[in-house]
Amino acid sequence: MKLHIIETGYFKLDGGAMFGVVPKTLWSRTNPADSLNRIDLAARSLLIEDGNRLILIDAGMGNKQEDRFFRHFGLYGNDSLDESIKKAGFARTDITDVFLTHLHFDHCGGAVRWNENKTAYELSFPNARYWSNKQHWEWAVNPNERESASFLSENLMPIQESGRLCFIETPKTSFDSDCGLGFGVLFVNGHTEKQMIPHISYRGKTLVFMADLLPTAGHLPLPYIMGYDVRPLQTLEEKKRFLSRAAEENFVLFMQHDANNTLITVQHTDRGVRLHESLATETLNAF
């Protein structure tokens, strides 16, 4: 097995929304805001090269929305999904599986694109199976008012209509369960219904793709929970259980949204679980 970090681009979101009830004087120490109160965020994916399988975990925002949509998010940088996959030595047609942690637009938008003539949408990875779970899919295609702006039909319906949509059939609550793709999945429900957190046994380490359970290292304190979460008190309990285990077992956390930290480890302190180390990206394949 070999892992590749896939940078799909950087964007900005309101810092208050990203930290919920926590005052700016506290969260800005780790995540400073610009003049519009926005903090820097990454849209980072992971590519798993494992035998005959090439599995992409999440796909970033994509580029099919209009400019006015993207202006809200202050996109910056030169990274893109296609270029990062190419840099890893592959093409979109090589991807065998696309695993979507959840279906908010910044995680799945790049999974669907315009066709050459911009007359219809098509799968970005035409040879891949697309993986979700039934509970979350139904939650996304029949969205509540709170999340409706994050679940975009143009990201979902082309996948459903393609016939390439697959579900992980029996969601497990056990951290040690295997999803059938060669790694385990932890299901959490605070941010959205049945978000999937992949964890991969790799070179003697457990690497956990954090998705939106832990957006940035600045979110390590338990009350630091996004205003976007539909069940914030459940997020708090899910974070508490997970971070305790991550510290005890020295997990390596893959930070999808942290613009400054890609890989971190955590430790128990007298203030709770806190950052231990921020690891250089080169260490991913040098454990």
Side-chain angles (χ1 to χ4, degrees):
M1 180 187 287
K2 188 174 182 182
L3 303 181
H4 305 271
I5 297 168
I6 303 296
E7 299 285 2
T8 75
Y10 293 83
F11 65 107
K12 295 174 181 284
L13 284 180
D14 183 82
M18 285 298 296
F19 284 92
V21 299
V22 178
K24 182 178 181 179
T25 52
L26 297 180
W27 58 254
S28 61
R29 296 173 186 173
T30 55
N31 297 74
D34 66 11
S35 60
L36 298 177
N37 205 48
R38 303 176 305 178
I39 64 170
D40 292 332
L41 295 168
R44 190 174 289 126
S45 298
L46 183 66
L47 190 61
I48 305 173
E49 185 182 353
D50 190 12
N52 294 324
R53 265 186 162 150
L54 196 60
I55 305 166
L56 180 68
I57 300 180
D58 280 355
M61 287 189 190
N63 57 11
K64 62 185 176 296
Q65 268 71 39
E66 296 179 357
D67 287 345
R68 64 179 180 179
F69 175 89
F70 290 116
R71 279 198 296 270
H72 290 298
F73 304 105
L75 272 62
Y76 67 98
N78 298 317
D79 293 306
S80 71
L81 180 60
D82 276 359
E83 287 303 312
S84 293
I85 290 174
K86 189 184 300 183
K87 190 182 296 185
F90 303 101
R92 287 183 293 103
T93 52
D94 295 324
I95 306 297
T96 62
D97 300 270
V98 177
F99 181 94
L100 300 170
T101 61
H102 60 297
L103 299 166
H104 289 164
F105 67 88
D106 55 319
H107 295 258
C108 72
V112 173
R113 65 176 193 162
W114 282 111
N115 64 10
E116 189 174 352
N117 300 318
K118 278 199 166 186
T119 56
Y121 297 118
E122 64 183 16
L123 298 189
S124 300
F125 307 99
N127 299 322
R129 291 178 296 176
Y130 282 62
W131 294 90
S132 182
N133 66 78
K134 188 173 182 181
Q135 291 92 327
H136 182 64
W137 189 269
E138 291 179 351
W139 180 270
V141 298
N142 299 289
N144 59 74
E145 288 84 354
R146 184 179 174 90
E147 288 182 279
S148 60
S150 293
F151 292 129
L152 307 181
S153 61
E154 60 266 36
N155 291 335
L156 307 181
M157 291 304 101
I159 299 175
Q160 183 168 287
E161 292 162 3
S162 72
R164 304 191 75 85
L165 175 62
C166 301
F167 292 139
I168 305 229
E169 290 188 7
T170 311
K172 305 290 185 182
T173 56
S174 168
F175 185 85
D176 300 305
S177 62
D178 191 298
C179 73
L181 293 172
F183 53 85
V185 172
L186 173 68
F187 286 80
V188 291
N189 298 288
H191 178 60
T192 189
E193 178 74 10
K194 293 292 184 295
Q195 178 184 198
M196 300 189 289
I197 306 297
H199 51 91
I200 304 154
S201 296
Y202 186 60
R203 300 190 178 191
K205 301 282 189 180
T206 297
L207 180 81
V208 185
F209 187 97
M210 293 311 304
D212 281 336
L213 178 59
L214 187 71
T216 74
H219 288 83
L220 280 166
L222 293 179
Y224 288 44
I225 292 169
M226 291 189 289
Y228 300 112
D229 287 19
V230 295
R231 305 181 185 103
L233 292 180
Q234 189 160 352
T235 296
L236 190 149
E237 292 302 319
E238 290 165 345
K239 277 177 63 178
K240 183 188 298 185
R241 289 193 299 270
F242 172 80
L243 289 174
S244 180
R245 182 166 181 177
E248 289 164 7
E249 300 186 27
N250 198 32
F251 292 166
V252 177
L253 309 185
F254 183 97
M255 305 302 293
Q256 182 171 24
H257 284 316
D258 194 317
N260 301 306
N261 301 285
T262 302
L263 304 168
I264 67 170
T265 58
V266 296
Q267 63 184 343
H268 287 290
T269 74
D270 57 3
R271 295 179 297 120
V273 175
R274 293 293 187 271
L275 180 67
H276 179 218
E277 286 185 291
S278 179
L279 305 175
T281 56
E282 311 87 71
T283 64
L284 182 63
N285 287 301
F287 291 148

PDB file of all heavy atoms in Angstrom, residues 70 108 245:
ATOM      1  N   PHE A  70     -18.331  30.549  -6.070  1.00  0.00           N
ATOM      2  CA  PHE A  70     -16.994  30.396  -5.504  1.00  0.00           C
ATOM      3  C   PHE A  70     -16.501  31.674  -4.837  1.00  0.00           C
ATOM      4  O   PHE A  70     -15.659  31.608  -3.942  1.00  0.00           O
ATOM      5  CB  PHE A  70     -16.019  29.945  -6.601  1.00  0.00           C
ATOM      6  CG  PHE A  70     -16.250  28.525  -7.058  1.00  0.00           C
ATOM      7  CD1 PHE A  70     -16.645  28.265  -8.361  1.00  0.00           C
ATOM      8  CD2 PHE A  70     -16.096  27.464  -6.177  1.00  0.00           C
ATOM      9  CE1 PHE A  70     -16.867  26.962  -8.778  1.00  0.00           C
ATOM     10  CE2 PHE A  70     -16.313  26.169  -6.590  1.00  0.00           C
ATOM     11  CZ  PHE A  70     -16.700  25.912  -7.884  1.00  0.00           C
ATOM     12  N   CYS A 108     -17.576  16.529  -1.928  1.00  0.00           N
ATOM     13  CA  CYS A 108     -17.960  15.678  -3.069  1.00  0.00           C
ATOM     14  C   CYS A 108     -18.102  16.427  -4.386  1.00  0.00           C
ATOM     15  O   CYS A 108     -18.330  15.805  -5.426  1.00  0.00           O
ATOM     16  CB  CYS A 108     -19.254  14.938  -2.757  1.00  0.00           C
ATOM     17  SG  CYS A 108     -20.740  15.980  -2.766  1.00  0.00           S
ATOM     18  N   ARG A 245      -8.839   8.067  22.540  1.00  0.00           N
ATOM     19  CA  ARG A 245      -8.214   6.881  21.942  1.00  0.00           C
ATOM     20  C   ARG A 245      -7.041   7.277  21.037  1.00  0.00           C
ATOM     21  O   ARG A 245      -6.008   6.611  21.011  1.00  0.00           O
ATOM     22  CB  ARG A 245      -9.239   6.078  21.147  1.00  0.00           C
ATOM     23  CG  ARG A 245      -8.666   4.807  20.551  1.00  0.00           C
ATOM     24  CD  ARG A 245      -9.733   3.862  20.068  1.00  0.00           C
ATOM     25  NE  ARG A 245      -9.126   2.647  19.529  1.00  0.00           N
ATOM     26  CZ  ARG A 245      -9.803   1.590  19.082  1.00  0.00           C
ATOM     27  NH1 ARG A 245     -11.130   1.595  19.145  1.00  0.00           N
ATOM     28  NH2 ARG A 245      -9.175   0.552  18.596  1.00  0.00           N
TER      29      ARG A 245
END
